[in-house]
Amino acid sequence: MKRLHLITLLLVAALAFAACGGPKPEAVEEAPPAEEAVEEAPAEEVEEEAPEAEEAEEEAPAAETGPVEGGILHYAVAGVVQFDPPLIVDTSHVVAWQVFSYLYRTGDDGEVIPDLATSWDIEDDGTTIIFHLREGVYYHDDNEVFPKGESREVVASDVVYAIERSVNLEENNTPFDFLNSYESVEALDDYTVALHLTSPNALLFTYGAGFPVYPQEAVEQLGEAWPHNPIGSGPFKMASFTPDDSVVLERNELYRIRPNLDGITFHIIPDEDAMMIALEAGEIQWTWLPAAQYASFADNSDYFIYQEICPGSYQMQLDMNHAALQDKAVREALAHAIDGEAILQALMPGEYVPGLGVAGPGRAGFDEGLADRYFTYDPALTEELMTNAGWEKNTDGVWAKDGETLSLEMELWNMDPMPLVGAAVLTQLQEAGFDASLNTVEFGTWIGDYTGGEPKPVMFWSGFCEPAAMSSLYGAGGLGTLMGYENEEVFALVDASNAMMDPAERNETLLNVSDLIFADYPAIPLGFTNTMIIASAKIHDYALQNSLQNVVTEYHNVWLDQ
């Protein structure tokens, strides 16, 4: 279970979750006015504060004409594999967001907005959530499960199926906090679902797009073909999937809001240079922008560049079972030999976000003083700590003890810009006298090494921008334990914080947790970055935050200049 969850969190967390019957739809239902759409729980009870979309330096370019219908949106992704929601292990979630309806989604400035659920009530001191489902939502038709004109309505039993399946699958990407608080789910009637928790869960409405719903008969009838042929009730439906090439989606004519786009094609382009060539050639219109390419497009009025405000951390996780790294003094000495923030700022100036830790700015537990307390760049202090710990430099200027050098193999994945970050860290460690080396591997190999019980002494990672990051890494059974981290006080505090509905109380608890963790140096944080996005100026009405979650909602309906 930890294996898939780790992959998902590192690439952007997504909780996956629903199947039963109803008559054929006669017409597309009009969406309710946005102000009538949802009766939300108070924001202070269910959400972390998120930076607002206004933090973007610019506004998206205004269109000279009104919305027009038609056209295919072309988006580039580094890779997609399969689309079974509980098992998504890469950026395939960008496709899932279009294919499936979710109980809720996250809007422009982090607010929870309705999707399949029009409203929800929180009862029993936060341990029961009653979701009220939208009527008249139908699954995609014209496929092997639902022939054209023979779709069926999405009902509460579908939600129950999807949640139970996501919790019970042997391997899944369900967040630890949900697994730890989940008790049961039941359908009260065709349009009402009751989710029962063992304790309140402050993170429940911070999952981004929460609880995708899909038909049980599709999973069972399609069998092994299901992950490549998903059937949902979202604004677009699967037309074709060609591995290592493309995913083609077409408009769902049964969707409650008629999409302006005829469809979306996701082009699979893992190479940054090839991606930028395709962008300039007009073959793609929207994608993430590598920091090194920013200057090439910054002043080009044919494109608009903006940031997804979700600061993900770059960190070096240390193997606490490694003989030399069992000594806290050595771990601390390594930390003071590295100027991580300077490295990220130099490599990714447009994406760099000041600060260190697990939780980034705007998240509970972000500690502005962490860098000054524990992670100052101070090679002289490194010398002092290593000498006091009984190490001395040999004739080659490398730290050694009892005739053995301190050799540290560091593993990182091969996706940019991680190799550049690793190379800069390697230089600083070697200058400080450490016998360090880099092992650059495919992402899947990295995951296998991290989760398979044989990690290298240092494992680089980046990601975890979501509010549940601290729980996923340092809660009971969290991913830090795979690198030998054990601290029962920390585990208990993190798990307790998940049930704290008061944001101030939760923030104070996680600040304490952060200090306890990093005072022990189980990891060396290098800094935070946001993701930079580039879009053609021909694209209109998209969200500046959570862009691909909100292609067609009550608030946005993306369209193209023809």
Side-chain angles (χ1 to χ4, degrees):
M1 186 174 295
K2 290 179 179 177
R3 173 185 167 90
L4 292 188
H5 184 58
L6 172 64
I7 302 171
T8 304
L9 284 171
L10 291 171
L11 290 171
V12 174
L15 176 63
F17 289 76
C20 235
K24 168 185 172 182
E26 296 181 1
V28 177
E29 178 183 316
E30 290 297 319
E35 62 270 18
E36 298 177 4
V38 63
E39 180 183 328
E40 295 183 21
E44 66 270 21
E45 292 185 355
V46 298
E47 294 186 80
E48 298 293 339
E49 291 296 321
E52 296 186 350
E54 286 77 13
E55 287 185 27
E57 294 183 1
E58 303 178 70
E59 294 184 358
E64 295 181 0
T65 61
V68 296
E69 187 175 300
I72 304 296
L73 177 66
H74 294 271
Y75 194 99
V77 293
V80 296
V81 177
Q82 63 86 45
F83 314 103
D84 186 359
L87 302 178
I88 288 177
V89 298
D90 61 359
T91 50
S92 299
H93 58 265
V94 299
V95 176
W97 288 336
Q98 320 311 321
V99 171
F100 299 105
S101 292
Y102 293 71
L103 287 182
Y104 60 83
R105 294 177 186 253
T106 300
D108 294 31
D109 58 359
E111 84 280 14
V112 181
I113 61 175
D115 191 4
L116 183 59
T118 59
S119 63
W120 43 88
D121 305 309
I122 297 179
E123 303 175 353
D124 302 328
D125 296 323
T127 59
T128 299
I129 296 88
I130 306 296
F131 290 99
H132 304 283
L133 305 186
R134 193 183 303 276
E135 298 183 28
V137 176
Y138 287 81
Y139 285 119
H140 302 155
D141 66 354
D142 199 14
N143 54 60
E144 289 187 44
V145 179
F146 303 116
K148 189 173 182 60
E150 298 182 26
S151 178
R152 73 163 178 83
E153 191 176 16
V154 181
V155 292
S157 58
D158 293 324
V159 178
V160 171
Y161 168 74
I163 292 178
E164 289 183 338
R165 180 171 180 264
S166 188
V167 168
N168 294 327
L169 279 175
E170 183 177 353
E171 289 192 332
N172 61 68
N173 63 21
T174 308
F176 292 127
D177 61 273
F178 185 79
L179 292 174
N180 291 338
S181 63
Y182 173 79
E183 184 175 76
S184 63
V185 61
E186 61 176 323
L188 302 183
D189 58 43
D190 278 352
Y191 305 107
T192 312
V193 174
L195 176 63
H196 301 287
L197 307 175
T198 58
S199 60
N201 188 335
L203 300 174
L204 185 65
F205 287 90
T206 68
Y207 296 148
F211 305 98
V213 178
Y214 44 91
Q216 180 175 358
E217 62 263 50
V219 177
E220 295 176 349
Q221 182 175 327
L222 294 176
E224 293 183 358
W226 157 252
H228 292 161
N229 297 275
I231 296 171
S233 58
F236 298 93
K237 60 183 182 180
M238 181 69 69
S240 67
F241 171 44
T242 306
D244 300 321
D245 182 73
S246 64
V247 180
V248 178
L249 306 182
E250 60 187 28
R251 179 192 294 120
N252 174 17
E253 300 290 350
L254 303 180
Y255 197 61
R256 69 180 191 276
I257 305 168
R258 182 173 175 81
N260 287 322
L261 298 171
D262 290 333
I264 304 175
T265 296
F266 292 94
H267 299 265
I268 302 169
I269 309 176
D271 181 76
E272 284 185 4
D273 292 335
M275 188 182 294
M276 292 301 100
I277 291 171
L279 180 69
E280 291 184 300
E283 296 170 3
I284 61 172
Q285 301 154 313
W286 206 2
T287 189
W288 64 278
L289 179 66
Q293 300 287 347
Y294 176 80
S296 301
F297 293 92
D299 298 322
N300 191 329
S301 61
D302 291 335
Y303 304 96
F304 177 67
I305 298 172
Y306 64 101
Q307 285 190 358
E308 288 270 9
I309 307 298
C310 188
S313 181
Y314 277 77
Q315 300 212 15
M316 299 163 59
Q317 202 77 29
L318 306 181
D319 182 7
M320 304 287 277
N321 295 319
H322 183 274
L325 296 180
Q326 289 179 349
D327 187 344
K328 175 187 170 183
V330 174
R331 301 196 300 272
E332 184 177 356
L334 284 168
H336 290 294
I338 300 167
D339 193 348
E341 290 192 281
I343 290 171
L344 294 191
Q345 192 167 15
L347 292 176
M348 293 170 275
E351 298 161 285
Y352 168 73
V353 177
L356 294 178
V358 173
R363 302 299 191 197
F366 174 65
D367 185 347
E368 292 182 359
L370 193 71
D372 290 337
R373 285 201 308 280
Y374 299 121
F375 297 103
T376 56
Y377 177 54
D378 192 343
L381 182 54
T382 294
E383 292 268 349
E384 179 182 338
L385 288 164
M386 291 297 289
T387 300
N388 291 342
W391 295 82
E392 59 182 20
K393 288 185 175 179
N394 60 22
T395 55
D396 294 324
V398 176
W399 291 109
K401 180 189 284 189
D402 300 327
E404 296 291 330
T405 60
L406 202 174
S407 297
L408 294 174
E409 183 179 358
M410 305 186 296
E411 184 164 297
L412 46 77
W413 58 66
N414 63 351
M415 294 183 292
D416 287 332
M418 189 63 83
L420 297 175
V421 174
V425 169
L426 178 66
T427 297
Q428 291 187 341
L429 288 179
Q430 290 177 338
E431 288 175 350
F434 292 97
D435 180 20
S437 61
L438 283 180
N439 181 33
T440 304
V441 298
E442 296 286 340
F443 186 68
T445 300
W446 185 95
I447 288 291
D449 290 343
Y450 191 107
T451 62
E454 296 184 1
K456 301 299 185 289
V458 180
M459 300 290 285
F460 282 78
W461 59 260
S462 66
F464 287 103
C465 76
E466 78 293 341
M470 193 76 82
S471 175
S472 300
L473 281 163
Y474 293 110
L479 299 167
T481 61
L482 297 180
M483 295 286 282
Y485 180 76
E486 296 290 338
N487 187 319
E488 293 301 326
E489 181 183 7
V490 166
F491 297 162
L493 285 171
V494 170
D495 291 347
S497 75
N498 294 339
M500 295 176 180
M501 306 305 287
D502 178 0
E505 180 186 17
R506 185 165 187 271
N507 182 61
E508 191 64 29
T509 299
L510 290 180
L511 283 171
N512 183 28
V513 166
S514 180
D515 191 78
L516 288 171
I517 291 169
F518 288 108
D520 201 30
Y521 296 94
I524 301 173
L526 304 176
F528 297 101
T529 62
N530 285 318
T531 300
M532 196 172 294
I533 308 294
I534 185 167
S536 166
K538 294 183 178 181
I539 307 173
H540 302 286
D541 197 16
Y542 53 90
L544 289 179
Q545 304 302 313
N546 307 303
S547 303
L548 283 177
Q549 277 191 42
N550 297 287
V551 174
V552 182
T553 69
E554 281 77 14
Y555 308 95
H556 294 279
N557 194 342
V558 174
W559 60 279
L560 299 171
D561 284 335
Q562 298 299 302

